[in-house]
Amino acid sequence: MTVDVRIAVGLAITVIGLGFVAWRALFLFRLVTSGQPAPGRFADIGAQVKAEIMDVFGQRKLLKRPGPGLAHFFTFWGFIVLTLTIIEAYGDLFDVTFSLTTWPGLGFIEDFFAVAVLVAIISFAAIRIRQNPARRERRSRFYGSHTRAAWYTLAMIFGVIATLLIYRGAQVVTGDFPYGKSWWAFASRSLGAAFTGMGHGAALNLETAMILGQILVIWAFFVFVLNSKHMHIFVSEPNVLFSRRPKALGPLATTPDLDPEKMTEDTVFGTGLIGHLTWKQRLDLISCTECGRCQDQCPAWATDKPLSPKLVIMDLREHMFESASELLAGQPLLPKPNEVPVAVGAAVSDGSSGATASDGAAEPVALKPLVPNVIAEDVLWSCTTCGACVEQCPVDIEHVDTIVDMRRYQVLIEARFPSEANLMLRNVENRGDPWGLGSSQRTAWLDGLDFEIPVVDSTIPDDVEYLFWVGCAGALDERARRTTQAIARLLKQAGVSFAVLGPKESCTGDPARRLGNEYLFQTQAQQNIETLQSANVKKIVASCPHCFNSIAREYPALGGNFEVYHHTQLLEKLLTAGSLRPQARIEQKITYHDPCYLGRHNEVYDEPRGVLNHVPGVQLEEMHRCRNRGFCCGAGGSRMWLEENIGSRINVNRTDEALATGADVISTACPYCLIMLDDATKSRQAEGSVSENIKVMDVAQVLEQSLAGVGARGGSPAPTAEETKGAGGLAGSEGLAAPDPASPPEPGAS
Ligand code: SF4
Ligand code: SF4
């Protein structure tokens, strides 16, 4: 082949490939950027750049699974380094002796990464072959992923590396190899040695064919990747860069402005149509690698519910591409009238304004309502908002925000949600707590104490440092109340001055917000902020991680700024300072369950363990799924108030794991976790499979035993119901885990 023909063929491939790539890239760019605004995506550039360095260039999350992580690490860096060889291939198209440099070190680096990528793709293939039979099983993280495209991609990467090494080997024979006779470029030299029997002419033809072959396979790869799920190769980098920092957990992404003055008839709350997604949410969809790490950790999926965070993202992505022409039309959006589901739930608050998009100047575009057409209702309501998916995702997809956005639309626009939640929402709205017991019961737990705690009347006394935010469960549930009393006694013993709001405390609104009722959340939040500000409260200690998360992380967006601690943080500080001195040995094996809203959402992992480690004799035994891989108790995301009638029970799954450690005590630091784990332990005890002596306790209760000198040796350390009867007993011996199912409110009641 003459030089002119070689150049003509190479440039023709390039022009055609570039045309396809540019057309597709422009389409993807327009599709993403035509999404709704995503506020705050440039709020912390330093943290965003740091995450890009750690998660993209350092492959931090992927390396948590060392095998596939290392293979991915070398593939990623191989692509970056081997960009140099693409430049060299284009140079060789015009002049076969072209080189960026003759420095042998570059030859070594290029050969090293070429071989590393080869080894990586062989290991990817081995993993896929090994897992192939299992990937059809629900337990496989690849269940539901597109597997064929992965094989095509591996084949093309192999093609890129094979053509590269062969043309460099042929160059060794023709004398065009730029890195001299040294063996630094070991792989190219080895192939060159294998080709030595080949004549100069044959080697030249092979060199030309492989240069053109490499250019062809590279463009074919680019075109294929941009048209498959492997487009993550190019879009996951900006997705990580624009993700919420420090991570998309804790507060929700948006706090909608519910000011009636600012609402128009086009105002839409949440996500009901694919067109309501923000540009970042659209970028999330095309960034998914279908790796299934999220699915693997999801408690709903693990207990045979229909929710898989991976499948949610994949289904939304498929629907987005199906609806691309409508989305790019740039017109007002409306649900397709014949597909709008009939509401079966109940609007609970005045915030259900029923606002929908209306006729604009342009003709509205009709789109399928997402729920139930794309995302089934059981999928949407199965989520506990535990955040395991967000924590695991290597490309920082923000599943929880998207799921709650879809819930917001269902609740506020469609008035459609599981009927069991109606009573809880009504109780919060009318009585200030999910159980509807009312403010008069909020101080009942004080009766079990032998000392006085100031109840704030107008303002917190000057000599009182902390406001103890008790929380609804901590004040009203019998089991959680024991923790509240233990914390109060510990603070008193440590000499900490604190007061409570008593009847002035009201639900933070967390259960309403996670269910999607943003209006009720903001009403509760504003009322509480007003109460706290008028009482001149500066420092708060909260015993419930959900209250802690709301007040510390979500109230600032509504003007409430307070210094908030979880009780384990304060207790650990007091222990370290010597203000609390545990004495009695608690010779027991204790396992600790990380509450999702304390651990993953707020990264408080060490302090609760620190409290337990201060207790002499305690043997802390970790569960397999712990810390940021902790498994939800099943109560988050307002699931505490919903029936769990699909699959197995999440709290039983978690409790079985805790029991498998052989622990005498299952400890935690959240009243909801305490109730869920205690229920599951009792059900196992009722079956006779578990010792009656095993207890579920808050870490504060464990600590208090040691301080009170109630040491234990393999027996029952926890206060019994009789011992704590003075606490009130309002809720009866079984606590207040659920609303009365016998009298559900009428659908549509408000
Ligand atoms: S937040 Fe938890 S329950 Fe919800 S999809 Fe993610 S992993 Fe599953
Ligand atoms: S959402 Fe993230 S973790 Fe889940 S499959 Fe996609 S890339 Fe993997």
Side-chain angles (χ1 to χ4, degrees), residues 294 297-301 307-309 382-390 399-400 403 600 632:
C294 55
Q297 293 290 306
C298 176
W301 187 255
L307 166 65
S308 151
S382 289
C383 179
T384 68
T385 68
C386 71
C389 45
V390 177
H399 316 71
V400 174
I403 287 171
R600 261 192 303 270
C632 181

Side-chain angles (χ1 to χ4, degrees), residues 381 383 407 417-428 433-436 471-474 476-477 507-515 544 546-547 634-644 649 670-673 675-676 736-741 745:
W381 300 110
C383 179
R407 287 184 174 186
F417 51 86
S419 58
E420 318 89 273
N422 207 349
L423 182 59
M424 178 276 286
L425 293 173
R426 210 167 44 175
N427 283 336
V428 171
D433 67 79
W435 293 287
C472 300
L476 303 170
D477 178 85
C507 176
T508 57
D510 166 84
R513 186 169 225 207
R514 264 67 205 174
L515 194 85
C544 170
H546 298 265
C547 299
S638 213
R639 289 289 322 167
M640 179 89 172
W641 289 274
L642 304 184
E643 297 294 339
E644 190 177 354
R649 296 189 67 85
C670 167
Y672 292 142
C673 297
I675 293 167
M676 297 302 274
L736 291 165
D740 179 11

